[in-house]
């Protein structure tokens, strides 16, 4: 994870059969879309995420405007690319992330 100070985040759990590399590519596209809104520098400073290929999870910080947009775009992209039933998502709070 880029930094350990996430106060709010969303964790996406992907089902078996969904290629983790494709998930990571989709996340990078969502971050690129956020760059279109905020610019590259702000996304680099305020965007934080982690991936765990073995656990099939992606966690994206939502404590900033950048993270909120990245999460929204990633969710839409993931539904369109992998299907509504290919993953679950839940909001985490600081206690869970500590």
């Amino acid at each position: 994870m880029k930094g350990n100070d996430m106060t709010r985040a969303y964790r996406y759990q992907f089902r078996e059969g969904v290629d983790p590399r494709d998930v990571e590519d989709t996340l990078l596209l969502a971050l690129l879309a956020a760059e279109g809104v905020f610019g590259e520098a702000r996304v680099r400073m305020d965007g934080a995420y982690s991936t765990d290929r073995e656990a099939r999870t992606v966690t994206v910080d939502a404590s900033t405007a950048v993270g909120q947009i990245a999460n929204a775009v990633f969710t839409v992209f993931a539904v369109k690319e992998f299907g509504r039933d290919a993953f679950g998502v839940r909001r985490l709070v600081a206690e869970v992330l500590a």
Side-chain angles (χ1 to χ4, degrees):
M1 180 148 336
K2 293 169 40 180
N4 286 332
D5 60 348
M6 284 199 265
T7 56
R8 259 188 331 193
Y10 289 90
R11 178 159 299 144
Y12 300 81
Q13 174 74 55
F14 287 84
R15 306 219 188 297
E16 288 189 39
V18 176
D19 189 332
R21 292 171 296 196
D22 292 340
V23 171
E24 290 172 7
D25 288 345
T26 301
L27 175 60
L28 293 176
L29 284 174
L31 292 168
L32 183 60
E35 282 184 23
V37 175
F38 297 104
E40 180 181 359
R42 186 153 173 212
V43 171
R44 288 183 64 122
M45 292 184 298
D46 288 347
Y49 64 89
S50 67
T51 61
D52 185 333
R53 286 185 178 184
E54 286 188 27
R56 299 180 318 279
T57 62
V58 171
T59 305
V60 183
D61 178 27
S63 65
T64 66
V66 168
Q68 292 166 8
I69 294 295
N71 271 290
V73 172
F74 180 61
T75 301
V76 170
F77 284 178
V79 167
K80 298 297 182 187
E81 183 170 352
F82 307 114
R84 187 171 306 280
D85 297 327
F87 68 97
V89 60
R90 65 185 176 106
R91 188 167 69 171
L92 306 178
V93 292
E95 299 81 48
V96 175
L97 296 171

